[in-house]
């Protein structure tokens, strides 16, 4: 794919270590004070207004109408399917590459099309239909099993047979930068006392990646692991905030509910699966052998460096985790094939998240529960304070990027500040 | 409320034992071959076209525009909130009552407004945003606990403190009459053998009622039990199909997933909470005492007679359950208050279901799992065959109605035929 050629350069300046070289071309929804929300892309620190590109005729002979870009969500655009959005990314790559002057020579068009990132507010990119959260990092499942069950039988019997997942709440998924309140809920603090209701005491993040789907097949049909790539539009960073004390009391037997449904945050830029192809890597050997519908061929894991930091109010940022998306046991193809194996229909704009991504060593864990090992190993903060979990007014930031052959394709960040309980 | 007056009569004929007297005035989406989907109501066997009513001027001075009725979902109409839909129901009640001739005297208008139910296909009434399933019938939780755990500790420790619930899949909720296929999935048939993948062997229904919400408060805010009525539009019958073998293998620790997400069915008519007010009854004494945010006052349970039948292909219908919605332990006000207690935002068109409604005696259970007691007590069918669970080509039908003072307000039915696995 020419758009992924590592030698490609853009006539738009790209700062060193930017997540957004011309090899990325992510999609999002941007809003400028004097305009309406619309579909945008990004190179370096410049935002590309796709509605303006369409009006000025640069998106001709593509399967889109203006309403696809003059929209407050990416859903209409995604409804055109993989072929459409792939052609669109290729067109943007061509228009902004150094060896093409169709646009770069039209100096009066450029200010209508390119905006500085500082002028643009990024909004929630997708109207999410259904949201599913998987539980696909072996180290995370192992760590949780060790803490709450038995280190010798840390993984439950189904874990290596099923990409375990559950349905989550879509309405409260919000974009990076949206402040939110510490949730309240029931907790059983003393084993022999009745539960109490109040602000969560053990408030945690979960480092995850999400993928956004295209329209799938009709209800009743399944999707194979080989077909799965055709139904995945792109990926984002995902913070699956978790109220550990509420979760512990409520989750047996039907799973997490209010411990998660108060808020989750996504990064504003959806990086296409096409842009991530160069960073594919092989996954772990899966033993025991998976059932045929979960078998796959080729490299379906992706090398994405991930980090998490905590920044106290007016304080200094502290990196608390360095993980990588390649540490997943189950890949997206397996997750999607499993999800559709019972005939469940997938829509354009569904979000499926990885589950907490923990690497195999300390320092690579994706939640405070694991990092502080249930509060027994507090994190030392630069200001001398300690964190077992997340404190009021802390800002938690997750960043992620892939890098190879001198090209870095990244996601920017998902960041949010926890306000005190309302 | 005058619209609930039991002495009210309509100039539209209402057959004996109809679920749809003038005291009902439910809402749905209807489609006639020569038209487009639109909002409809019903009296007796006649469907009322609300778009036609609007065009002919009968809905003036109400807070609606034509697009609210010229729609393939009820969502736009519901976005007007309780006050708007209440005024609308009152207007319909007035227009169709025997003591008002504003419409009945305009003979040339009537054929544009009233259609025979036989001419109309009822569609999915609501675009469901998020779907939540509760687990609020004590007898059901007790029965399941007896079968799979310990009769002496059948209820889990959290059950009487929390209206336990979990998120479900919204995309595969379809309207009554939509045939569907037996799902395939992983099952662990022999304890000491690996799981297999294939058609579900233990296929079940769950008799439930659902309620549809109005737009709630902003994220971060809660809803009290006293406020809950203002955020509930109406109710429907709900069949939460369940693949018991798939559920057993997958559900620990994160809850039911593919055992439910292949399909669920709703009845096409949403009966407003206003229409159900006359049938309110008191609920059970809740002991232990619930936490203050779950306390409520007044009668918040509802007396709704429910039945379930199985009809084999070309066979005779067999009633397998007679239950009642009054048997719930937790009521809707408590469910909604709990759901929003952590700040989770509720949208117009969310669906919240009761969980299986089992009454206190045999014959009142709401699933085949309980009726056949895990397959140990098969149901005898009129054709001599037996049912432990649901067989291919069986049609399962659920019906429900309230009755008091000679007035019967009902839901019609939710029915669907299980086709063989694809």
């Amino acid at each position: 794919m020419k758009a992924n050629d590592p030698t490609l350069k853009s006539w738009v300046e790209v700062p060193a270590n930017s997540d957004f070289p011309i090899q990325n071309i992510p999609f999002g929804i941007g809003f400028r004070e004097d305009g309406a929300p619309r579909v945008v892309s990004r190179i370096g620190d410049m935002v590309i207004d796709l509605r303006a590109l369409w009006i000025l005729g640069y998106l001709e002979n593509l399967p889109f109408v203006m309403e696809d870009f003059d929209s407050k969500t990416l859903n209409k655009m995604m409804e055109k399917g993989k072929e459409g959005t792939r052609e669109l990314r290729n067109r943007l790559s061509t228009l902004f590459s150094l060896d093409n002057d169709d646009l770069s020579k039209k100096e009066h068009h450029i200010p209508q099309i390119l905006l500085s990132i500082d002028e643009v507010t990024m909004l929630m990119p997708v109207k999410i239909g259904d949201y599913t959260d998987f539980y696909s990092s072996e180290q995370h499942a192992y760590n949780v099993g060790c803490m709450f069950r038995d280190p010798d039988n840390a993984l439950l019997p189904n874990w290596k047979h099923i990409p375990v997942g559950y349905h989550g709440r879509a309405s409260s998924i919000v974009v990076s930068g949206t402040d939110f309140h510490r949730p309240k809920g029931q907790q059983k603090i003393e084993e022999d006392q009745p539960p109490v209701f109040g602000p969560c005491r053990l408030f945690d993040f979960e480092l995850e990646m999400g993928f956004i789907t295209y329209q799938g097949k009709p209800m009743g049909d399944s999707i194979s692991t080989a077909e799965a790539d055709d139904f995945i539009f792109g990926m984002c960073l995902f913070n699956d905030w978790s109220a550990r004390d509420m979760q512990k009391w409520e989750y047996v037997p039907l799973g997490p509910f209010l411990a998660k449904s108060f808020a989750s945050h996504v990064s504003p830029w959806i990086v296409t699966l096409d842009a991530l192809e160069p960073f594919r890597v092989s996954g772990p050997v899966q033993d025991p052998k998976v059932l045929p519908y979960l078998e796959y061929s080729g490299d379906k894991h992706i090398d994405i460096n991930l980090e998490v930091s905590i920044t106290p109010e007016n304080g200094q940022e502290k990196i608390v985790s360095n993980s990588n998306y390649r540490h997943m046991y189950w890949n997206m193809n397996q997750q999607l094939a499993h999800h559709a194996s019972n005939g469940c229909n997938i829509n354009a704009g569904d979000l499926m998240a990885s589950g907490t991504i923990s690497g195999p060593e300390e320092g690579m864990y994706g939640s405070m529960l694991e990092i502080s090992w249930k509060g027994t190993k507090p994190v030392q903060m630069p200001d001398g304070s300690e964190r077992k979990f997340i404190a009021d007014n802390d800002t938690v930031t997750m960043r992620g990027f892939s890098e190879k052959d001198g090209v870095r394709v990244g996601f920017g960040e998902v960041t949010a500040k926890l306000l005190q309980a309302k």
Side-chain angles (χ1 to χ4, degrees), chain A:
Chain A
M1 195 172 297
K2 181 158 184 288
N4 291 343
D5 179 350
T7 67
L8 213 59
K9 301 276 175 211
S10 175
W11 50 267
V12 179
E13 190 195 337
V14 178
N17 287 327
S18 172
D19 281 346
F20 304 101
I22 192 169
Q23 288 83 0
N24 191 337
I25 317 270
F27 294 96
I29 299 294
F31 170 76
R32 193 167 59 165
E33 258 192 27
D34 58 351
R38 60 196 53 174
V39 174
V40 295
S41 183
R42 178 172 179 176
I43 294 177
D45 291 335
M46 301 304 285
V47 170
I48 303 164
D49 181 336
L50 269 70
R51 178 177 177 277
L53 272 182
W54 194 93
I55 289 172
L56 294 169
Y58 292 101
L59 302 181
E60 280 178 3
N61 303 315
L62 292 174
F64 295 95
V65 294
M66 194 175 78
E67 288 67 33
D68 298 329
F69 306 123
D70 190 15
S71 176
K72 60 184 182 182
T73 71
L74 295 176
N75 296 54
K76 282 184 201 160
M77 189 188 93
M78 290 189 294
E79 280 167 16
K80 301 295 159 78
K82 182 138 218 162
E83 209 171 320
T85 57
R86 176 176 284 166
E87 281 184 60
L88 178 62
R89 177 169 173 266
N90 289 340
R91 175 70 60 87
L92 296 177
S93 174
T94 302
L95 279 173
F96 289 92
S97 79
L98 201 52
D99 57 12
N100 180 296
D101 66 357
D102 290 351
L103 171 57
S104 61
K105 73 186 172 197
K106 298 270 181 55
E107 281 184 26
H108 58 296
H109 282 174
I110 294 174
Q112 300 175 62
I113 289 166
L114 285 182
L115 310 166
S116 164
I117 186 69
D118 303 328
E119 295 174 77
V120 178
T121 303
M122 294 301 296
L123 305 179
M124 183 69 193
V126 176
K127 167 73 181 163
I128 295 170
D130 276 292
Y131 153 51
T132 299
D133 196 26
F134 286 93
Y135 183 55
S136 291
S137 151
E138 182 174 0
Q139 187 67 45
H140 172 66
Y142 174 81
N143 289 346
V144 171
C146 282
M147 278 185 260
F148 295 106
R149 286 181 295 269
D150 169 11
D152 291 332
N153 292 290
L155 294 185
L156 287 163
N158 58 12
W159 201 89
K160 290 206 164 181
H161 296 282
I162 290 180
V164 170
Y166 64 104
H167 306 293
R169 181 82 190 174
S171 72
S172 54
I173 300 177
V174 293
V175 75
S176 178
T178 310
D179 295 346
F180 68 114
H181 292 270
R182 179 180 294 268
K184 289 187 284 194
Q186 281 197 35
Q187 305 139 42
K188 188 95 152 78
I189 297 174
E190 300 292 341
E191 207 48 54
D192 57 350
Q193 293 294 315
V196 298
F197 182 86
C200 166
R201 295 162 182 229
L202 309 178
F203 190 78
D204 205 354
F205 60 80
E206 290 193 341
L207 168 64
E208 304 197 12
M209 299 287 307
F211 67 89
I212 306 285
T213 59
Y214 292 109
Q215 182 68 42
K217 298 184 183 177
M219 204 170 120
D221 287 352
S222 56
I223 293 173
S224 70
T225 57
E227 293 168 326
D229 285 346
D230 292 339
F231 295 102
I232 300 173
F233 169 58
M235 299 187 71
C236 59
L237 298 163
F238 187 73
N239 187 343
D240 180 27
W241 302 106
S242 298
R244 298 292 176 205
D245 37 11
M246 292 159 56
Q247 186 173 348
K248 187 179 174 197
W249 174 231
E250 75 173 359
Y251 91 106
V252 177
L254 299 180
F257 182 45
L258 300 192
K260 306 268 191 175
S261 64
F262 52 88
S264 315
H265 281 77
V266 294
S267 55
W269 295 106
I270 310 297
V271 178
T272 65
L273 201 60
D274 281 345
L276 294 166
E277 281 301 328
F279 311 101
R280 292 280 199 185
V281 290
S282 63
V285 174
Q286 293 185 321
D287 177 29
K289 196 165 173 318
V290 299
L291 281 160
Y293 81 100
L294 292 171
E295 287 174 2
Y296 68 95
S297 59
D299 289 345
K300 291 300 172 193
H301 285 60
I302 309 180
D303 180 11
I304 305 174
N305 300 289
L306 298 168
E307 72 168 31
V308 187
S309 73
I310 301 174
T311 310
E313 184 87 327
N314 303 317
Q316 200 180 325
E317 182 172 23
K318 162 91 177 185
I319 307 291
V320 295
S321 177
N322 283 284
S323 187
N324 194 304
Y325 183 63
R326 68 187 301 163
H327 296 311
M328 304 296 288
Y329 188 83
W330 299 101
N331 59 49
M332 290 182 280
N333 298 59
Q334 294 179 305
Q335 290 167 338
L336 187 54
H338 182 63
H339 207 313
S341 65
N342 67 345
C344 178
N345 52 328
I346 309 296
N347 288 317
D350 290 345
L351 171 67
M352 302 193 185
S354 57
T356 310
I357 304 163
S358 291
E361 291 165 36
E362 276 192 59
M364 299 180 174
Y365 297 165
S367 68
M368 288 303 287
L369 178 70
E370 296 161 86
I371 294 168
S372 78
W373 206 259
K374 256 174 108 176
T376 60
K377 299 178 179 178
V379 171
Q380 302 301 318
M381 299 294 289
D383 64 4
S385 65
E386 288 187 342
R387 289 291 181 284
K388 296 174 180 176
F389 288 92
I390 302 303
D392 283 350
N393 301 311
D394 280 355
T395 296
V396 174
T397 304
M398 299 173 176
R399 300 183 185 90
F401 66 92
S402 298
E403 194 156 29
K404 190 180 173 183
D405 299 330
V407 175
R408 167 177 167 144
V409 167
F411 292 82
E413 64 182 29
V414 57
T415 187
K417 180 176 166 181
L418 175 68
L419 307 175
Q420 66 182 22
K422 240 183 178 178

